[in-house]
């Protein structure tokens, strides 16, 4: 398997080298907003320690990330009065992964509303408001 590259964009966010809209963090994980949101409230959960994806993550990394996914997913569902939540997670280029630091996408979903196409930059003011709304709905 290819080695972890600490110059990936999420590693830079973890080091504070580039900005992000933080939703939540604990000792082991960070949640921040996706800047090309495919749904309102689209956010990402990552471990603070390095791994490319599920294939090389330790069980401890996966456990801490999934605990945060559950916590934030419930908050996002409440904040957006969503009908459901879609999780996405991609592994290696052939699996659709573009940023090679493990991450789970959280999407609040409303019945009958499709996800937007990928790769479209979002409105930063709206993304900031959405981060604040999810953070305010956390336990
Ligand atoms: P993937 O690796 O396919 O799960 O996709 C990476 C995701 O990271 C995409 O949804 C991008 O919109 C998102 N992304 C890329 N750069 C940033 C960034 N600087 N801040 C937040 N999200 C980002």
């Amino acid at each position: 398997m290819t080695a972890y590259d600490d110059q990936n964009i999420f590693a830079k966010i973890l080091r504070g080298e580039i900005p992000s809209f933080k939703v939540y963090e604990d000792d082991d994980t960070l949640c921040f907003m996706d800047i090309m949101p495919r749904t309102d409230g689209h956010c990402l959960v990552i471990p603070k320690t390095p791994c490319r994806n599920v294939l090389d993550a330790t069980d401890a990394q996966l456990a801490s990330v999934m605990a945060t996914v559950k916590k934030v997913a419930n908050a996002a569902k409440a904040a957006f009065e969503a009908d459901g939540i879609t999780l996405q997670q991609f592994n290696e280029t052939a699996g659709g992964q573009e940023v090679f630091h493990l991450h789970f996408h959280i999407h609040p979903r409303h019945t009958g509303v499709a996800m937007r196409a990928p790769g479209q930059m979002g409105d930063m003011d709206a993304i900031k408001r959405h981060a604040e709304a999810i953070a305010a709905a956390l336990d």
Side-chain angles (χ1 to χ4, degrees):
M1 187 167 186
T2 311
Y4 180 83
D5 176 3
D6 69 4
Q7 294 307 305
N8 75 76
I9 198 101
F10 296 168
K12 291 180 179 179
I13 286 174
L14 280 169
R15 291 194 295 266
E17 293 169 7
I18 62 167
S20 66
F21 296 103
K22 185 171 80 175
V23 173
Y24 171 80
E25 72 176 322
D26 59 21
D27 288 348
D28 301 315
T29 65
L30 173 68
C31 177
F32 57 96
M33 301 305 287
D34 197 304
I35 56 170
M36 292 180 256
R38 298 192 60 193
T39 54
D40 288 351
H42 180 182
C43 57
L44 304 167
V45 177
I46 67 173
K48 288 185 172 178
T49 49
C51 60
R52 283 173 67 83
N53 52 47
V54 162
L55 302 175
D56 66 335
T58 65
D59 290 353
Q61 286 173 314
L62 292 173
S64 60
V65 165
M66 289 312 299
T68 298
V69 166
K70 177 179 175 180
K71 184 180 184 76
V72 175
N74 276 299
K77 185 171 181 293
F80 286 86
E81 298 182 336
D83 301 309
I85 294 287
T86 297
L87 302 180
Q88 290 182 308
Q89 195 280 317
F90 306 109
N91 300 278
E92 300 300 327
T93 303
Q97 187 175 12
E98 294 180 350
V99 178
F100 296 96
H101 182 110
L102 173 65
H103 55 281
F104 282 77
H105 300 252
I106 297 174
H107 297 281
R109 301 298 304 277
H110 296 89
T111 304
V113 178
M115 289 171 63
R116 295 186 284 269
Q120 304 176 81
M121 195 59 76
D123 177 290
M124 295 301 148
D125 290 337
I127 291 172
K128 181 172 184 288
R129 281 198 311 276
H130 294 164
E132 291 166 353
I134 300 170
L138 285 164
D139 291 337

